[in-house]
Amino acid sequence: MRMYNYAQVASGGSVFFTDEQIARTEAGDDPINYPNTDWVDILIDKYSPLTSHSLSVSGGNDVARFAVTGNYMYQKGMLPLNKMDRFNLRANTSVSLSKKFLINLDVLGIRRNTLYPNRTLSNGGIRMLDDLYRLPPTVLPKYPAEEGWPTIYGRYADIVNPIAYAEVGGTIGYQYDQAAINLQPKWSLSDNFSLRGQLSYRLNSDVYKQNRDNFYFFDYYTKQLVQTWTAQRNAYSETRDTYLYVSGAFDYNRSFDRHNIFAMGGISAEQFNNGYWNVSSLASAYAKLNYSFDDRYLAELSFRADGSSKFGPGNKFGYFPSVALGWNLHNEKFFNLEKVNNFKLRASYGLLGNENIGLYKYQNLISTDNGVETEWGNPDISWEKVHILDLGIDLGMFDNKLSLTFDYYDKKTKDVILQPSVAPSGAIGSAPLNAGEVSNKGWEISLNYNENISRNFSFSIKPGITYNKNKITKIIGGPYISGISINTQGYSIQSYYGYVTDGILQYSDFANDKKTPLVPILPGEGPGDIKYVDLNGDGVIDEDDQRVIGDPTPRLNYFTNVNMSYKNFDLEFLLQGTGSHDYSANLGGKSSGYLWHPLNFSASGGVPTTYRAANSWRENNQDAIFPRILANPANNVLRSDFWLFDAKYLRVKFIQAGYRLNNKFLNK
């Protein structure tokens, strides 16, 4: 309340809460008229259980074998009315019709039910989280019950408080169903030659259901009707998509003298169907030849051709060769390091294609309402091509108790599809072009150490580190700026873009009247506001003073997996983290805005957190890390490096403990 008054006065207004109101609220002796609500404590469940149960059955003989696994998982959300349960059932069957003909059949069924409070966002989140930081503590969740009246909930402006949404706001439920079947026959014509086929079909069907009863909101004191929620009974199929895959292939292997040859090839066809009209297909042919001499020198050649319906005539097919070489030094006669049992050098270079660009980009699209063209296409767009160079080492020591894998890679993506902006005379906008190139360079290293300490105790540890430098090396029509993100040559994809800052404006940046600036500032700024840097030196802070200010992509990622086993007990945990990278607390999104820019009365501002309020600039706190809180903090919410934070972290991703039942117990 004091912060509220401070923001009002700092913005040129007058205090809103009297000293008596503040005192009565602090005293807590009249919670009806002077509430002090902790919305987070009321709504957030600090302990939300997750349970998972599995049951497997397997059996068979020399002719037929089967395995059936069922799993049920339940997870309670941290917010009211939020939960998820999922049931999986998978059945695998292998049938030998003869000594040379085998059929594998895999059937999968999944049903997932998710329930949310009827207060969602377009991005799939729950807006109730926003409400926690929009509603001030001076709003009562609900008033005492009175005979003859429905529950009366506290209100703030046009915002219905989240307790009302939890109790009478209804629910939104999603039911996700997936069914899949995978049939794989294999015919071994000889010891060296076999034919394989595959038929896969997957169906996803999602259903949406919204439910809410009528409810009337009254003012507690006047008993006047202030708002009505009408009944909602909505249900429809949200998404239905299918995937079909058919392939046929052969493989051949032969060993003679010190030579080993393996060859395979095949063709495949895929079809994706999403919704009513979105259909795409992919046809492929592929081949691979692998040769090794004396298990020392290794070579592999591969080639694939892919044709996609997403490209126009003459550009549907892409061709992608690759080559790989290897050298097993540990098998050389001159290599006599007894402790090293595996030492391999590897090198490869190849091309891959990307056709995940959306549908109908090569065609002009017209409106079904009036027949007018609404989107330009480009019949000349083609596959995005990825060129990958990889150099690696595999090392194993002490009978492979200790192993190391290292790779250096240089990945160049060319012909990236972009949509350069056009002049306003372009009418309906831009057309897609193969107009960009992106470079990713880096290395990966992983270690694995296994040890049996005794008959009953063993452990393994597997740490790994990856480093990647992402950079746009070519971009036609750039830069592409969208909000706080920019794609421009020489920087990472989706780099942050905005103003450069130099802390917070102090009284020393103004003349003795505390109003006349001695440095360039934005109109309306004063002591306690963010100090923006005049990069071009023209004495004015404007859009020309913006530049690339940060990189949201971590270059360094690392993990460590630890597994320990003692008799029938086992314990496993995974540590995972990233190195330094930037996170912007001013993304323009709802929650980030409420948390970092509170009391913004010109928009949907929130309530200051304790930390934010304690560390905001004031007369008696001029060394604060945050700017002063204003009723309209427009100048302090601009995109800038002031709101960038180092987002590096280390977390325990999971901890899993188990106990294995022995066969004697199961056979009882």
Side-chain angles (χ1 to χ4, degrees):
M1 298 171 78
R2 293 188 179 92
M3 187 64 67
Y4 192 105
N5 285 343
Y6 175 85
Q8 284 282 73
V9 173
S11 300
S14 58
V15 298
F16 187 83
F17 295 104
T18 66
D19 291 338
E20 180 184 1
Q21 289 175 315
I22 295 174
R24 294 293 299 275
T25 302
E26 289 180 329
D29 53 11
D30 186 1
I32 304 301
N33 295 303
Y34 302 98
N36 187 10
T37 304
D38 187 340
W39 293 103
V40 174
D41 184 64
I42 292 176
L43 282 168
I44 298 293
D45 190 343
K46 297 180 177 62
Y47 304 100
S48 300
L50 184 152
T51 61
S52 180
H53 311 276
S54 298
L55 178 64
S56 300
V57 179
S58 61
N61 52 35
D62 293 340
V63 176
R65 296 151 298 280
F66 75 91
V68 179
T69 301
N71 173 264
Y72 175 76
M73 186 176 76
Y74 171 81
Q75 182 176 10
K76 184 181 181 301
M78 299 180 68
L79 291 170
L81 305 177
N82 184 212
K83 64 179 181 178
M84 184 278 291
D85 61 63
R86 185 187 67 197
F87 180 74
N88 296 3
L89 182 64
R90 179 185 290 273
N92 303 97
T93 302
S94 297
V95 179
S96 300
L97 300 181
S98 69
K99 291 183 178 180
K100 294 187 177 182
F101 198 88
L102 175 68
I103 294 179
N104 294 311
L105 178 64
D106 183 12
V107 179
L108 172 67
I110 301 175
R111 167 161 288 185
R112 185 173 81 250
N113 295 295
T114 306
L115 190 70
Y116 298 100
N118 191 12
R119 181 69 166 155
T120 59
L121 291 167
S122 59
N123 63 6
I126 302 177
R127 194 169 185 179
M128 196 177 284
L129 286 170
D130 293 349
D131 298 336
L132 296 179
Y133 296 99
R134 297 175 72 196
L135 285 169
T138 53
V139 175
L140 192 69
K142 58 183 177 181
Y143 290 90
E146 294 185 7
E147 186 176 354
W149 290 93
T151 301
I152 298 180
Y153 296 92
R155 296 174 59 81
Y156 175 69
D158 62 335
I159 306 169
V160 178
N161 80 60
I163 297 299
Y165 274 101
E167 296 183 350
V168 296
T171 59
I172 292 180
Y174 296 90
Q175 180 176 287
Y176 306 91
D177 288 332
Q178 182 182 115
I181 184 170
N182 185 19
L183 179 66
Q184 293 180 290
K186 182 179 180 180
W187 187 12
S188 299
L189 297 175
S190 69
D191 293 339
N192 306 105
F193 186 78
S194 63
L195 298 176
R196 291 178 286 108
Q198 184 174 351
L199 171 63
S200 298
Y201 181 77
R202 184 180 68 238
L203 169 66
N204 294 314
S205 180
D206 303 339
V207 177
Y208 164 96
K209 181 179 179 181
Q210 185 180 36
N211 180 57
R212 186 178 72 190
D213 294 326
N214 277 324
F215 192 82
Y216 302 96
F217 291 90
F218 294 89
D219 182 90
Y220 179 71
Y221 299 99
T222 66
K223 298 302 187 289
Q224 295 294 311
L225 179 67
V226 293
Q227 185 177 357
T228 300
W229 274 350
T230 58
Q232 291 179 328
R233 298 289 189 272
N234 299 317
Y236 57 85
S237 177
E238 186 180 52
T239 304
R240 184 183 184 278
D241 61 76
T242 61
Y243 171 70
L244 176 65
Y245 177 85
V246 181
S247 72
F250 75 89
D251 60 70
Y252 172 81
N253 65 83
R254 185 183 178 190
S255 299
F256 56 95
D257 296 332
R258 293 183 291 176
H259 306 277
N260 292 282
I261 297 175
F262 173 80
M264 62 88 68
I267 56 174
S268 65
E270 302 171 66
Q271 185 181 76
F272 308 85
N273 189 330
N274 180 260
Y276 296 101
W277 301 105
N278 296 329
V279 181
S280 64
S281 300
L282 182 69
S284 305
Y286 48 89
K288 180 170 69 174
L289 176 63
N290 187 296
Y291 170 77
S292 69
F293 175 74
D294 200 25
D295 199 23
R296 289 185 292 163
Y297 311 116
L298 316 172
E300 180 180 283
L301 296 174
S302 63
F303 178 83
R304 67 178 297 125
D306 296 294
S308 173
S309 64
K310 296 179 181 179
F311 302 103
N315 294 299
K316 292 187 180 296
F317 280 89
Y319 305 97
F320 311 106
S322 66
V323 59
L325 300 173
W327 183 15
N328 285 324
L329 274 79
H330 61 277
N331 289 331
E332 295 288 354
K333 294 181 179 180
F334 61 79
F335 195 90
N336 55 7
L337 298 177
E338 295 182 0
K339 302 297 183 181
V340 178
N341 49 279
N342 180 37
F343 189 17
K344 182 179 182 179
L345 300 180
R346 296 176 283 104
S348 65
Y349 182 81
L351 272 68
L352 295 174
N354 177 37
E355 49 109 28
N356 296 318
I357 62 168
L359 302 178
Y360 317 119
K361 295 293 185 181
Y362 68 94
Q363 296 174 307
N364 288 3
L365 301 183
I366 62 174
S367 170
T368 56
D369 296 327
N370 52 30
V372 175
E373 289 185 337
T374 57
E375 186 173 336
W376 283 348
N378 178 6
D380 295 324
I381 60 171
S382 60
W383 288 77
E384 295 182 350
K385 301 174 184 65
V386 184
H387 301 247
I388 304 177
L389 170 67
D390 186 278
L391 304 174
I393 297 174
D394 297 328
L395 179 65
M397 302 177 65
F398 313 114
D399 293 327
N400 283 327
K401 286 185 178 181
L402 175 64
S403 60
L404 177 147
T405 300
F406 175 83
D407 283 271
Y408 167 82
Y409 61 87
D410 186 352
K411 177 180 175 183
K412 292 183 174 65
T413 303
K414 299 183 178 182
D415 296 326
V416 176
I417 295 178
L418 303 170
Q419 291 195 232
S421 59
V422 297
S425 58
I428 62 175
S430 61
L433 299 173
N434 293 102
E437 294 183 5
V438 177
S439 169
N440 284 278
K441 292 183 180 181
W443 49 265
E444 303 175 353
I445 184 170
S446 64
L447 294 169
N448 191 11
Y449 183 75
N450 304 277
E451 183 65 75
N452 294 319
I453 303 299
S454 67
R455 180 180 177 183
N456 295 322
F457 180 72
S458 62
F459 78 94
S460 67
I461 180 170
K462 184 178 181 180
I465 301 175
T466 65
Y467 175 86
N468 181 74
K469 178 65 171 70
N470 173 266
K471 183 171 69 173
I472 298 172
T473 56
K474 177 183 177 182
I475 186 166
I476 296 176
Y480 296 82
I481 302 173
S482 177
I484 197 172
S485 298
I486 182 173
N487 287 323
T488 188
Q489 187 168 327
Y491 294 92
S492 297
I493 294 176
Q494 295 292 300
S495 291
Y496 288 135
Y497 179 78
Y499 291 97
V500 177
T501 61
D502 186 21
I504 295 175
L505 289 167
Q506 303 294 339
Y507 285 118
S508 58
D509 295 310
F510 295 82
N512 293 333
D513 60 5
K514 300 181 181 179
K515 295 180 180 180
T516 304
L518 303 178
V519 296
I521 64 171
L522 290 168
E525 281 199 307
D529 293 325
I530 294 176
K531 184 178 181 179
Y532 298 100
V533 177
D534 179 19
L535 291 180
N536 60 7
D538 63 357
V540 178
I541 303 296
D542 55 21
E543 292 185 356
D544 293 334
D545 295 307
Q546 297 186 69
R547 71 176 190 188
V548 175
I549 55 175
D551 185 354
T553 305
R555 297 189 183 183
L556 199 67
N557 290 271
Y558 55 90
F559 70 90
T560 298
N561 181 267
V562 179
N563 198 316
M564 293 179 285
S565 176
Y566 178 73
K567 293 185 177 180
N568 288 358
F569 295 93
D570 60 76
L571 175 68
E572 182 181 6
F573 62 88
L574 176 64
L575 305 177
Q576 182 262 329
T578 67
S580 294
H581 61 288
D582 295 311
Y583 169 77
S584 175
N586 189 16
L587 294 173
K590 296 289 186 181
S591 296
S592 61
Y594 298 152
L595 291 172
W596 295 104
H597 309 307
L599 296 181
N600 187 353
F601 300 153
S602 65
S604 296
V607 177
T609 61
T610 302
Y611 178 78
R612 175 71 161 86
N615 291 279
S616 294
W617 191 96
R618 298 183 299 277
E619 296 282 345
N620 60 351
N621 190 28
Q622 297 185 22
D623 293 329
I625 59 177
F626 296 117
R628 59 177 176 164
I629 293 178
L630 299 171
N632 183 3
N635 289 330
N636 290 333
V637 299
L638 300 178
R639 300 184 296 269
S640 72
D641 61 5
F642 189 92
W643 299 110
L644 294 185
F645 298 89
D646 190 343
K648 63 183 177 184
Y649 67 87
L650 171 64
R651 65 169 175 166
V652 179
K653 191 168 185 178
F654 72 82
I655 300 177
Q656 177 177 292
Y659 180 81
R660 298 183 301 277
L661 299 175
N662 56 47
N663 292 332
K664 291 182 180 180
F665 176 83
L666 294 175
N667 292 330
K668 287 183 178 180

